[in-house]
């Protein structure tokens, strides 16, 4: 089931811990000040990343998913993690608020991903990093006219964001 265009945690068989470990090098050695997470699995992805940031804001469009994730994270003692309901195209945050933005499965079904990425770029601090997680096979199925990674580069360019690198990650036979 999809809620608000983003699948709920329980609907995803995604292995959160291995994915979070794979993202470790992208986050760097020392904790970041502020991380924005928007995506399909706020509790599942934020929990293994909690030690990597001083402040984490997790967002999801569905209020019930936000409440569930908030309860799960706070029951684990992650009081520096804030969960909010909201949409990717109108983030309720000041410009230059985050060092890292992590978008998890948030763009594939968006009819105008460049617009959403532009809004994410607004809340990133100068030198901030954007980490995108999308299912490569789903991208491949949708992007019949061009290579899936070319499509992602096009989205980033449309948003005015520089693409330093794209790195597919294989996890348990999926990438």
């Amino acid at each position: 089931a999809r809620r608000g265009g983003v699948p709920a945690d329980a609907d995803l068989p995604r292995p959160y811990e291995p994915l979070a470990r794979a993202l470790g090098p992208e986050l760097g050695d020392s904790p970041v000040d502020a991380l924005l997470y928007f995506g399909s699995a706020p509790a599942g992805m934020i929990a293994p990343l909690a030690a990597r940031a001083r402040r984490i804001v997790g967002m999801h469009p569905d209020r019930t998913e936000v409440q569930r994730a908030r309860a799960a994270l706070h029951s684990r003692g992650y009081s520096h993690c804030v969960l909010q309901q909201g949409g990717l195209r109108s983030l309720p945050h000041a410009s230059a608020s985050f060092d890292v933005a992590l978008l998890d499965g948030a763009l594939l079904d968006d009819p105008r991903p460049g617009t959403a990425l532009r809004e994410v770029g607004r809340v990133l601090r100068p030198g901030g990093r954007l980490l995108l997680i999308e299912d490569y096979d789903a991208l491949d199925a949708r992007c019949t006219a061009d290579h899936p990674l070319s499509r992602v580069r096009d989205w980033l360019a449309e948003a005015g964001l520089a693409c330093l690198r794209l790195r597919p990650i294989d996890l348990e036979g999926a990438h």
Side-chain angles (χ1 to χ4, degrees):
R2 287 170 112 43
R3 295 184 189 107
V6 177
D9 278 354
D11 300 328
L12 297 174
R14 180 176 296 163
Y16 304 114
E17 292 288 339
L19 183 55
R21 275 194 306 276
L23 293 174
E26 305 303 324
L27 293 172
D29 294 330
S30 58
V32 298
D33 182 49
L35 184 146
L36 171 66
Y37 172 87
F38 187 97
S40 58
M45 279 301 297
I46 291 173
L49 296 173
R52 305 300 305 264
R54 290 178 189 87
R55 179 175 67 100
I56 298 178
V57 175
M59 294 188 68
H60 193 280
D62 182 71
R63 185 173 66 90
T64 302
E65 180 62 21
V66 168
Q67 291 171 336
R68 193 194 69 69
R70 182 182 296 126
L73 292 167
H74 289 186
S75 72
R76 294 177 185 165
Y78 299 136
S79 59
H80 66 294
C81 299
V82 175
L83 282 294
Q84 300 174 332
Q85 180 184 1
L88 191 55
R89 291 189 186 191
S90 58
L91 297 171
H93 303 285
S95 297
S97 299
F98 297 95
D99 302 297
V100 174
L102 173 56
L103 303 185
D104 180 11
L107 297 176
L108 186 62
D109 292 328
D110 192 311
R112 294 185 359 244
T115 302
L117 286 170
R118 190 172 304 113
E119 175 66 358
V120 173
R122 180 188 67 79
V123 300
L124 279 174
R125 293 178 178 150
R129 291 168 283 165
L130 169 63
L131 306 178
L132 294 176
I133 300 171
E134 290 291 345
D135 182 311
Y136 182 90
D137 295 325
L139 272 172
D140 192 32
R142 293 275 299 280
C143 303
T144 56
D146 56 0
H147 191 277
L149 297 183
S150 294
R151 175 66 55 95
V152 172
R153 286 183 194 281
D154 291 344
W155 293 344
L156 294 166
E158 180 185 335
L161 298 171
C163 179
L164 300 180
R165 76 178 152 160
L166 294 174
R167 182 173 66 109
I169 299 171
D170 289 319
L171 295 173
E172 297 181 8
H175 60 276

